[in-house]
Amino acid sequence: MADEIYDVVDKKGNKIGTATWTQCHTKGLLHQCAHALVFSDEQKTRVLVQKRSKNAVQGASLYEASVAGHILSDETPDEAIMRELQEELFGGRSLPDGIKIKRLLSFFNNDLPNNHEIAYLFEIILDGESFTNRESEEKPEWVEWETLLRKISFSPKKYAKFFRSDIKEYLKSTSNKKA
C-alpha cells in the first residue's frame, strides 16, 4: 500500500495540515474516513458485508462495512465514498445507474490506539450486482440485516471495531432496529 496523503483536521473537520497514513496512525492525528452500509433494497432487508484481507494492517480477516476507506487530501466525504465504492465493489468500473447514496451522519471513531477519525457514514441502496473486491481474497456477500445484527451480538470479535461502531451509530440514527 502506498502511503496516501490525508488531511489532518480539527474536531470540526477543518483542515489544519496533511500527513501520510503512517503519520496519522502512529502519531494519533485526527483525519477523516468514509464508511457505507450498502443495502439491497429500499426495505433494507439485506446488507453487503465483506471480509478484510488476511494481509490488512488493521483488522485482518475480520468482517467489515460494505465500503470503507480514508478520505484523501482535498477530497470531500461524498467524493471519497464514490471512489471507494467504485474501487472496492466495481473493480474501477463505472457505477451503475439507479444507485442511491445518502450521507447520514458523522461521528468520532477511535477504534484502535492512535486511530482518531471523523467517520462519515453513508447509506447506499443498490440492487444486486456482481462485485469485485481487489483488497480481499473473498467476494462481498449479502446478509440478512436482522441476521447480521444477531451475529454481531453473539460474536462481536469476528467484526472490525469500526464496523460495529458504524452499526451502532446507524441504529441510533434510525427509529427502529429494522432500519
Side-chain angles (χ1 to χ4, degrees):
M1 170 175 91
D3 217 2
E4 298 172 324
I5 304 293
Y6 308 138
D7 290 338
V8 176
V9 297
D10 63 20
K11 290 184 179 184
K12 293 183 180 179
N14 299 309
K15 181 177 178 176
I16 58 173
T18 60
T20 64
W21 184 97
T22 301
Q23 291 168 324
C24 286
H25 292 91
T26 57
K27 296 179 180 181
L29 302 174
L30 185 62
H31 57 290
Q32 302 172 102
C33 59
H35 301 173
L37 298 175
V38 176
F39 291 97
S40 62
D41 55 41
E42 295 284 348
Q43 292 72 37
K44 302 175 187 104
T45 54
R46 296 183 307 152
V47 64
L48 194 67
V49 296
Q50 53 184 322
K51 197 168 192 177
R52 294 179 63 79
S53 169
K54 64 183 175 190
N55 300 317
V57 175
Q58 298 172 329
S61 299
L62 297 178
Y63 290 99
E64 69 171 337
S66 310
V67 176
H70 288 90
I71 298 174
L72 301 176
S73 183
D74 294 326
E75 190 175 47
T76 67
D78 296 68
E79 291 167 341
I81 204 63
M82 296 291 283
R83 175 182 49 78
E84 291 291 342
L85 182 63
Q86 195 169 18
E87 286 176 7
E88 292 186 15
L89 298 184
F90 294 96
R93 297 186 323 267
S94 297
L95 298 178
D97 294 333
I99 189 169
K100 296 178 184 174
I101 302 172
K102 178 181 174 184
R103 188 191 316 181
L104 299 175
L105 55 96
S106 63
F107 64 96
F108 288 100
N109 178 43
N110 300 306
D111 60 341
L112 299 168
N114 288 329
N115 191 32
H116 305 291
E117 303 171 323
I118 297 176
Y120 294 88
L121 183 61
F122 291 79
E123 174 185 271
I124 298 175
I125 307 297
L126 177 65
D127 289 331
E129 286 279 336
S130 176
F131 302 110
T132 305
N133 184 344
R134 296 183 298 178
E135 298 174 2
S136 179
E137 298 81 16
E138 297 190 37
K139 188 174 180 175
E141 62 182 277
W142 292 109
V143 177
E144 297 292 323
W145 176 247
E146 294 295 330
T147 301
L148 176 65
L149 295 179
R150 278 193 305 279
K151 285 182 174 184
I152 290 174
S153 70
F154 289 123
S155 303
K157 292 188 178 191
K158 289 184 178 182
Y159 299 87
K161 254 182 149 175
F162 78 82
F163 183 37
R164 295 190 323 252
S165 295
D166 290 346
I167 298 289
K168 178 182 169 187
E169 295 296 326
Y170 183 78
L171 292 172
K172 284 190 334 191
S173 76
T174 60
S175 60
N176 62 53
K177 289 190 183 234
K178 184 64 175 164

